[in-house]
Amino acid sequence: MDITSAATLYLQQLGKQRPSISDLNSNIFTNGGPEPSSLVEISGVRKSGKSLLLMQLVAHYVQRCDVIFFNISNKIDAQLLGRLIKDALENSNPNATPAELEDKIEKCMDSLKIINCFSSSQLEMAIKALDQYILLDNGRISLIAVDSLCEFYWLDLEPEARQRKYTYYMNWLARLKKICNKFYVSCIYTVDSSFNRNQYTSSRSISIDYKLHLDLLRSGVRTLNDQNICINDKGVQIIDK
């Protein structure tokens, strides 16, 4: 016998009605977008292009669904994001007239909500707001985006405390995973690669569905999951060998 609560049943039905992004191919996810309840990790060193890649993916998926974007690093350039959205729309709608394209851009901007967080306590409040009413009130939200998940690690580190970076990362990831599972939404986030290195096999770990690792080699070559890439005003582009 399968017993479930009325609240769980309601959230399941609400989740099924959310717009799907799993069938949307992009320059990065060539086999479709992330499935509901999945986590997408974008990792890399400083200045490797993590924020740009996140904005590029948001610009692609906001055509289909509403997106909540947590701007923690304050590196999100609204003008650049707008240009990425316009480029994505032009690629998806090559025959659209300028007026039609302008209308689609306006709708995409209305579907995007950027939340600035300047401390971990503000991020905590924002996640609670997601859980308690934002995702309940809006059935079009399918994607949560977070830029620089562990931005406040050094500010949160108490004097003489030695909380490991990986533990700190897993604690925040657990909050996001709970939200994704409960509401059947996907989450794409960036994290500095120094936080996802786990040297202790007994440490707590959370399954990550997709991992996108950006690297900037000493030679100046940039890679994404070992594929050569270039970065320009169109975002992150994979170079065909």
Side-chain angles (χ1 to χ4, degrees):
M1 181 183 297
D2 185 17
I3 300 176
T4 187
S5 68
T8 299
L9 184 61
Y10 172 76
L11 292 175
Q12 288 176 346
Q13 293 303 314
L14 180 62
K16 291 178 181 178
Q17 295 172 14
R18 295 186 187 279
S20 173
I21 58 176
S22 61
D23 61 332
L24 286 179
N25 292 347
S26 69
N27 182 46
I28 306 303
F29 291 109
T30 55
N31 293 323
E35 298 288 338
S37 302
S38 61
L39 294 173
V40 182
E41 174 191 87
I42 301 175
S43 65
V45 298
R46 186 170 173 267
K47 293 186 178 181
S48 58
K50 299 186 298 296
S51 297
L52 178 61
L53 179 55
L54 179 61
M55 285 191 288
Q56 181 179 339
L57 290 172
V58 167
H60 184 72
Y61 294 124
V62 78
Q63 301 177 61
R64 176 70 64 84
C65 69
D66 286 6
V67 178
I68 302 295
F69 200 145
F70 290 119
N71 180 23
I72 301 176
S73 68
N74 294 302
K75 295 177 184 176
I76 301 305
D77 185 328
Q79 289 186 337
L80 174 57
L81 182 54
R83 290 201 300 272
L84 291 172
I85 290 174
K86 181 180 178 181
D87 289 341
L89 285 168
E90 288 176 341
N91 291 333
S92 301
N93 304 271
N95 298 321
T97 65
E100 290 172 338
L101 192 61
E102 194 65 33
D103 182 61
K104 290 180 182 295
I105 292 173
E106 186 175 340
K107 288 180 179 177
C108 283
M109 298 307 292
D110 288 341
S111 296
L112 176 63
K113 183 175 182 61
I114 298 177
I115 301 176
N116 295 321
C117 297
F118 300 99
S119 67
S120 59
S121 60
Q122 290 185 2
L123 181 57
E124 287 271 12
M125 288 188 290
I127 290 178
K128 286 182 180 179
L130 275 182
D131 189 13
Q132 294 176 4
Y133 66 89
I134 294 177
L135 289 171
L136 283 171
D137 292 344
N138 189 336
R140 279 192 48 80
I141 299 173
S142 297
L143 179 63
I144 308 298
V146 183
D147 189 42
S148 197
L149 180 59
C150 298
E151 181 73 10
F152 305 121
Y153 171 76
W154 296 107
L155 292 176
D156 293 342
L157 198 62
E158 297 179 0
E160 301 182 2
R162 298 188 64 181
Q163 184 181 28
R164 291 187 293 111
K165 284 185 172 183
Y166 185 79
T167 302
Y168 184 85
Y169 170 43
M170 285 296 115
N171 287 341
W172 279 113
L173 200 58
R175 293 173 171 87
L176 293 177
K177 184 61 176 177
K178 183 178 179 180
I179 291 288
C180 290
N181 287 342
K182 182 177 179 180
F183 293 99
Y184 302 91
V185 296
S186 302
C187 178
I188 306 177
Y189 61 91
T190 66
V191 63
D192 189 279
S193 54
S194 64
F195 285 89
N196 63 2
R197 297 171 187 154
N198 181 20
Q199 300 176 349
Y200 304 89
T201 56
S202 61
S203 296
R204 175 188 188 187
S205 183
I206 295 172
S207 177
I208 299 168
D209 303 279
Y210 307 89
K211 293 186 178 183
L212 303 174
H213 180 69
L214 290 158
D215 209 352
L216 176 57
L217 307 180
R218 290 183 178 180
S219 62
V221 173
R222 294 179 180 272
T223 63
L224 170 62
N225 291 355
D226 297 325
Q227 291 183 284
N228 289 348
I229 60 171
C230 67
I231 292 180
N232 52 38
D233 58 356
K234 302 291 184 180
V236 175
Q237 308 294 324
I238 296 175
I239 301 175
D240 294 329
K241 294 183 180 181

